[in-house]
Amino acid sequence: GNHLLQLIVFDNFNNFQVAETNFYSQEAGDIVIKDMLFYPNPYDYSETAKFTFVISETADVDIKIYTITGKKIKELSYVGCSSGYNEILWNGKDSDGDKIANGNYFYKLRAKSKLSNQKAEKIGKLIILK
């Protein structure tokens, strides 16, 4: 869970300083995906699109993009995403190399840990608006 660490230090003249930091801890072996975001959303092809996320440990990552009706239109695979913040770029095109139509889409990010073989997934929404 989330924790706050506060350190209070005194010198010989009884002057003190206070420092604080927040941190997140979890059980070993659990893989966690946090702060997943598609940017820019809505996407209009004026710049490169990015899937951004924070992951708790090194993992292989797949991103599958689906229409509202559930048809898979694109799959992005990346081996060895490092723990911490990651960005995966996307050109906005489907599996055939065509720009996708205006509308709402879903994406599913799946991660499989390289260390523990644990799996995690999250679902997000993106909008195409040309």
Side-chain angles (χ1 to χ4, degrees):
N2 288 319
H3 300 279
L4 172 69
L5 177 65
Q6 184 179 53
L7 187 64
I8 303 171
V9 180
F10 291 87
D11 66 10
N12 290 340
F13 298 106
N14 218 17
N15 298 318
F16 68 95
Q17 286 287 330
V18 178
E20 292 182 348
T21 187
N22 291 307
F23 64 94
Y24 181 84
S25 65
Q26 66 188 31
E27 284 188 39
D30 290 347
I31 185 168
V32 178
I33 302 166
K34 298 188 319 180
D35 302 329
M36 185 177 76
L37 179 69
F38 177 74
Y39 178 82
N41 200 7
Y43 179 56
D44 63 1
Y45 292 99
S46 64
E47 56 187 296
T48 303
K50 296 183 239 184
F51 294 94
T52 64
F53 57 95
V54 175
I55 195 162
S56 61
E57 57 186 84
T58 302
D60 296 334
V61 172
D62 293 322
I63 298 174
K64 295 178 183 173
I65 303 167
Y66 299 92
T67 64
I68 291 292
T69 60
K71 179 183 175 192
K72 182 172 72 172
I73 59 170
K74 182 69 175 180
E75 183 171 351
L76 307 167
S77 296
Y78 290 89
V79 176
C81 284
S82 60
S83 63
Y85 177 78
N86 288 274
E87 287 183 356
I88 295 177
L89 302 179
W90 178 49
N91 62 4
K93 296 183 179 178
D94 64 12
S95 296
D96 297 328
D98 300 322
K99 289 183 177 180
I100 62 176
N102 286 348
N104 294 314
Y105 296 85
F106 292 102
Y107 64 97
K108 183 187 290 186
L109 188 148
R110 282 190 176 166
K112 181 180 177 188
S113 169
K114 290 199 158 276
L115 302 174
S116 64
N117 281 338
Q118 293 281 330
K119 295 178 183 176
E121 67 179 41
K122 273 193 134 173
I123 296 173
K125 184 170 84 170
L126 64 96
I127 300 169
I128 303 295
L129 187 62
K130 300 180 225 180

